Amino acid sequence: HKVPMLSIDNTYSKEEISAFNERVRKNLHGQTIEYVQELKIDGVSLALLYEEGRLVRAATRGDGQRGDDVTRNVRTIREVPESLEGVGRVPEEIEVRGEVFLTRKRFLALNEERRHHDEELFANPRNAAAGSLKLLDSSLVAKRGLNFFAHGAGAVTDGFFRTQMDLLNYFRDSGLPVNSHTRLCKNLEEVFEACDEWQMKKERLDYEIDGLVFKVNGIQQQRILGATHKSPRWVIAYKFPAERARTRLLDISVQVGRTGVLTPVANLEPVFLAGTTVSRATLHNADEIKRLDLKVGDWVRVEKSGEIIPQVVEVLKEKRTGRERSFGMPKKCPVCGSAVIREEGEVAARCVNAGCVAQLKARLLHFASRKAMDIEGLGEALADQLVDKKMVRDFSEIYRLKQEGLAALERMGDKSASNLVNQIERSKARDLARLVFALGIRHVGVNAARLLAQHFGSMEKLKKASKDSIMEISAIGEVIAESVAGFFKNDENLRILGKLKEAGLRMTAEKKTGETPMLAGKTFVLTGTLQGLSREEAGQLILDRGGRVSSSVSKKTTAVIAGEAPGSKLKDAERLGIKVLSEEGFKKFLGLPHKEL
């Protein structure tokens, strides 16, 4: 994506909307502010790139930086025009952003067709839409009946639109579908009225929504407000209060994750909740069961956190009969029978056997997941077979799988096996950040993996990095640094890494072509409190421009960025004669030529 597809911050109350409004007002210094209210469609994010008015590419959101090319499939969606027509001027380039979705009626009909052919049913319309976009046969996509609403723009020729409403009206005039329930809110009272209105009206729609989105209307105001590395500061999503349902806890089972953590899971009498049938819910850990005072056989209230993850929120103790029974976490792993430990200061109980098949299956699924190596087709059922049949003993052996062996597995066949082998081969070219995340290093999420890849530039350098050198990355603390350094001291982990390298996976960060990054070879230190940026955001700005962020000042430091109440690092900079930049000076510098520092 030429402009990253950032996520939107969520809020769950009017108080949080008010706080958002105050932040906007403060940063816009008393300017008149209007908000555009849009429905938050529960679908799949899509970016449509039009050049000279012609559709040239359609891509999914992916990890926000890079998505899947789904152009052929999107061309089958009748509502997506091949060209922008019916208007005078056409931007030289515009990336239209919107949501692909299925109506409730079409979703029910699709599942009825799948039931008739004895195929696995889709869990909800969003999953059905996402699965449809990934199909290899565009003729099948055309039959799914996907819909699309445009709601924003990424890259766009400068100066083309004054307001968000101008943009949406342009979309309508040029043949792009825009949701008819979009409206302009002149003040906060009208924002609150919209929240109350759609909380009551949402069930009347023929498609799923899980909230509302409010965007600052002025495009120039949006630019002034800017964004963090995760979310724009000019938009907020109001999520409707979670729906709750009452049901009975039939049993508690225990799952074993990729790091050996034992997670209790509630097995419930099936109940319909927020668009799907819920029969399982996470209980997190033993402490949560104790806090709820939960017993097998209890009647409970269940809700979907953020309307996504089912969880037990309340026990209806007044309905107890005396036949309910207490639950205790197992002393031995329910899968491999090895000892279970709970380290001091931790809430999690863990299986100590690194060779536990449940851990291996979970590691395979993590390695192949969308945000990691993105190997489509390697799901839970296949992971079970690969481990149970001893075809895979660690995730590096995915790259030794052959089509013939895969085709012999249950519910595979030649075509599915061929598709999977192709997906596995394609994954070898994934960038270093994805591979670092895929390794499953404890405490290392997507953002930390990206920081590590950008900072060290290669797996070889990361492998040799000490805890202290890892902590030079400002956004990475001691816990993550200790975990990363420890991971690469483990002989088994190093053996698997060697096999991944032999298989041909990319072990270096992708080098951007074109001009040398403006901060290449330069090292910065952050100190004090920044007002307009968090320390993490400032560090990311430096990394994005090819620079390094260190936690200590030395003669090699290029500059120290000092916010309010700076610490000893400022004194170190003055003593060594290192350049000191204020927050405003730092922001100004980012727009200057390379030679200025």
Side-chain angles (χ1 to χ4, degrees):
H1 303 295
K2 294 187 176 183
V3 176
M5 291 186 75
L6 303 178
S7 58
I8 299 175
D9 278 339
N10 291 326
T11 181
Y12 297 88
S13 69
K14 292 178 180 177
E15 290 76 18
E16 290 175 332
I17 294 177
S18 293
F20 164 75
N21 180 60
E22 283 305 310
R23 292 194 298 273
V24 169
R25 288 173 57 83
K26 179 181 177 181
N27 286 311
L28 292 179
H29 307 294
Q31 295 180 28
T32 300
I33 303 164
E34 298 175 331
Y35 293 105
V36 176
Q37 171 251 295
E38 301 170 5
L39 302 187
K40 190 174 185 300
I41 310 297
D42 194 13
V44 182
S45 296
L46 189 71
L48 307 173
L49 182 62
Y50 286 86
E51 293 178 352
E52 304 291 351
R54 303 290 300 178
L55 177 64
V56 296
R57 188 180 70 220
T60 62
R61 180 178 182 273
D63 63 3
Q65 303 287 335
R66 182 180 287 115
D68 293 327
D69 188 326
V70 290
T71 310
R72 288 182 61 191
N73 287 346
V74 168
R75 290 188 191 278
T76 70
I77 301 175
R78 286 181 296 175
E79 294 172 325
V80 175
E82 283 290 330
S83 60
L84 303 180
E85 298 175 348
V87 290
R89 279 199 314 152
V90 175
E92 182 179 327
E93 177 182 80
I94 184 170
E95 186 190 49
V96 178
R97 292 184 174 174
E99 208 78 9
V100 173
F101 65 99
L102 277 171
T103 64
R104 289 171 174 162
K105 182 178 180 181
R106 185 67 196 115
F107 169 71
L108 293 173
L110 181 59
N111 261 354
E112 189 58 39
E113 291 170 20
R114 295 177 73 83
R115 185 181 290 109
H116 179 73
H117 292 97
D118 198 27
E119 296 176 333
E120 185 177 356
L121 303 185
F122 288 116
N124 52 54
R126 180 179 63 251
N127 285 6
S132 300
L133 280 180
K134 291 186 175 183
L135 289 171
L136 298 176
D137 187 344
S138 296
S139 64
L140 294 178
V141 183
K143 295 175 182 178
R144 290 285 171 90
L146 295 173
N147 298 88
F148 176 77
F149 281 138
H151 59 58
V156 60
T157 305
D158 213 18
F160 221 84
F161 306 104
R162 285 189 316 105
T163 67
Q164 176 72 12
M165 289 300 287
D166 284 348
L167 176 68
L168 296 178
N169 289 332
Y170 173 83
F171 287 164
R172 286 193 186 94
D173 293 342
S174 60
L176 284 159
V178 175
N179 190 278
S180 61
H181 300 295
T182 299
R183 72 184 185 195
L184 190 64
C185 298
K186 298 284 189 179
N187 51 49
L188 202 56
E189 288 70 29
E190 292 186 7
V191 167
F192 291 157
E193 287 173 9
C195 294
D196 293 337
E197 177 184 340
W198 281 106
Q199 173 68 32
M200 303 296 295
K201 288 170 55 177
K202 63 176 181 173
E203 296 305 324
R204 301 181 195 174
L205 298 167
D206 189 32
Y207 46 85
E208 300 283 347
I209 67 170
D210 58 359
L212 302 176
V213 175
F214 295 98
K215 299 175 180 176
V216 171
N217 189 32
I219 299 296
Q220 184 58 32
Q221 290 178 331
Q222 292 179 8
R223 289 174 179 160
I224 293 170
L225 292 167
T228 70
H229 74 282
K230 293 181 180 178
S231 309
R233 291 192 178 94
W234 46 268
V235 57
I236 196 78
Y238 170 71
K239 303 293 284 288
F240 295 132
E243 293 184 21
R244 292 187 172 187
R246 192 178 71 169
T247 187
R248 200 160 70 91
L249 176 66
L250 301 177
D251 200 0
I252 297 176
S253 56
V254 177
Q255 293 181 337
V256 183
R258 61 185 169 86
T259 62
V261 172
L262 273 61
T263 303
V265 177
N267 298 303
L268 308 162
E269 281 187 354
V271 61
F272 193 75
L273 177 63
T276 60
T277 299
V278 173
S279 59
R280 288 160 66 83
T282 180
L283 294 171
H284 302 292
N285 51 57
D287 287 359
E288 177 68 2
I289 294 174
K290 184 178 179 180
R291 185 189 70 78
L292 289 167
D293 187 21
L294 182 65
K295 297 182 178 182
V296 175
D298 272 333
W299 283 87
V300 296
R301 291 194 196 281
V302 183
E303 74 173 31
K304 281 190 176 181
S305 178
E307 298 204 8
I308 298 174
I309 306 168
Q311 61 182 4
V312 175
V313 294
E314 183 184 1
V315 175
L316 304 177
K317 296 179 183 178
E318 68 276 10
K319 293 183 70 66
R320 281 182 173 166
T321 63
R323 293 194 294 271
E324 297 78 14
R325 55 187 174 85
S326 299
F327 171 82
M329 289 291 285
K331 303 298 182 185
K332 293 185 177 181
C333 174
V335 177
C336 72
S338 299
V340 169
I341 62 167
R342 180 172 173 176
E343 295 179 2
E344 188 176 348
E346 287 199 355
V347 296
R350 297 176 186 277
C351 167
V352 298
N353 177 17
C356 174
V357 295
Q359 293 184 48
L360 176 53
K361 290 175 182 178
R363 286 196 291 269
L364 283 180
L365 291 172
H366 173 77
F367 187 84
S369 64
R370 183 171 58 86
K371 292 182 179 180
M373 303 310 286
D374 195 15
I375 303 174
E376 186 180 343
L378 208 170
E380 191 172 340
L382 181 58
D384 286 347
Q385 292 188 75
L386 292 175
V387 174
D388 292 343
K389 295 179 182 297
K390 295 183 170 51
M391 294 173 68
V392 169
R393 290 163 297 179
D394 63 63
F395 50 69
S396 71
E397 295 189 350
I398 290 172
Y399 296 95
R400 297 184 180 181
L401 295 172
K402 304 296 181 186
Q403 182 175 338
E404 311 82 66
L406 290 168
L409 296 176
E410 186 180 340
R411 300 186 68 178
M412 282 297 287
D414 288 330
K415 186 173 181 180
S416 296
S418 175
N419 290 340
L420 180 59
V421 168
N422 290 335
Q423 285 286 322
I424 291 171
E425 186 63 29
R426 286 177 59 190
S427 75
K428 293 179 180 180
R430 306 284 186 237
D431 59 46
L432 181 61
R434 281 178 173 265
L435 177 56
V436 173
F437 176 63
L439 294 177
I441 304 171
R442 197 174 169 200
H443 304 304
V444 174
V446 172
N447 289 329
R450 187 176 294 145
L451 290 171
L452 290 165
Q454 288 175 336
H455 185 83
F456 290 102
S458 72
M459 188 66 77
E460 191 63 27
K461 289 182 178 178
L462 177 58
K463 188 170 67 174
K464 295 176 180 177
S466 65
K467 172 185 167 182
D468 289 341
S469 65
I470 295 169
M471 286 182 65
E472 287 182 0
I473 305 172
S474 65
I476 289 186
E478 185 173 1
V479 172
I480 294 178
E482 202 166 73
S483 178
V484 173
F487 179 89
F488 290 108
K489 289 177 183 175
N490 181 284
D491 289 340
E492 177 63 11
N493 293 337
L494 294 177
R495 183 187 68 81
I496 292 172
L497 262 180
K499 289 167 68 177
L500 291 173
K501 186 176 181 180
E502 288 175 15
L505 274 71
R506 177 183 289 174
M507 293 286 163
T508 56
E510 185 176 0
K511 292 183 179 179
K512 295 181 180 179
T513 58
E515 295 182 5
T516 303
M518 68 177 293
L519 301 184
K522 302 187 181 300
T523 301
F524 295 81
V525 173
L526 298 158
T527 183
T529 302
L530 304 179
Q531 296 301 309
L533 298 167
S534 70
R535 293 269 285 273
E536 184 178 346
E537 290 161 10
Q540 189 63 47
L541 286 172
I542 293 167
L543 291 170
D544 288 345
R545 289 157 176 78
R548 295 178 71 245
V549 180
S550 175
S551 59
S552 60
V553 180
S554 71
K555 291 181 179 179
K556 295 181 179 180
T557 303
T558 305
V560 170
I561 298 145
E564 292 182 8
S568 60
K569 295 171 186 176
L570 178 58
K571 293 180 180 178
D572 291 341
E574 292 169 345
R575 177 173 54 82
L576 295 171
I578 303 298
K579 189 178 184 74
V580 175
L581 293 172
S582 66
E583 181 177 353
E584 287 306 311
F586 169 62
K587 291 177 181 176
K588 184 179 178 183
F589 166 69
L590 292 181
L592 296 178
H594 177 94
K595 62 182 181 181
E596 290 295 321
L597 189 62

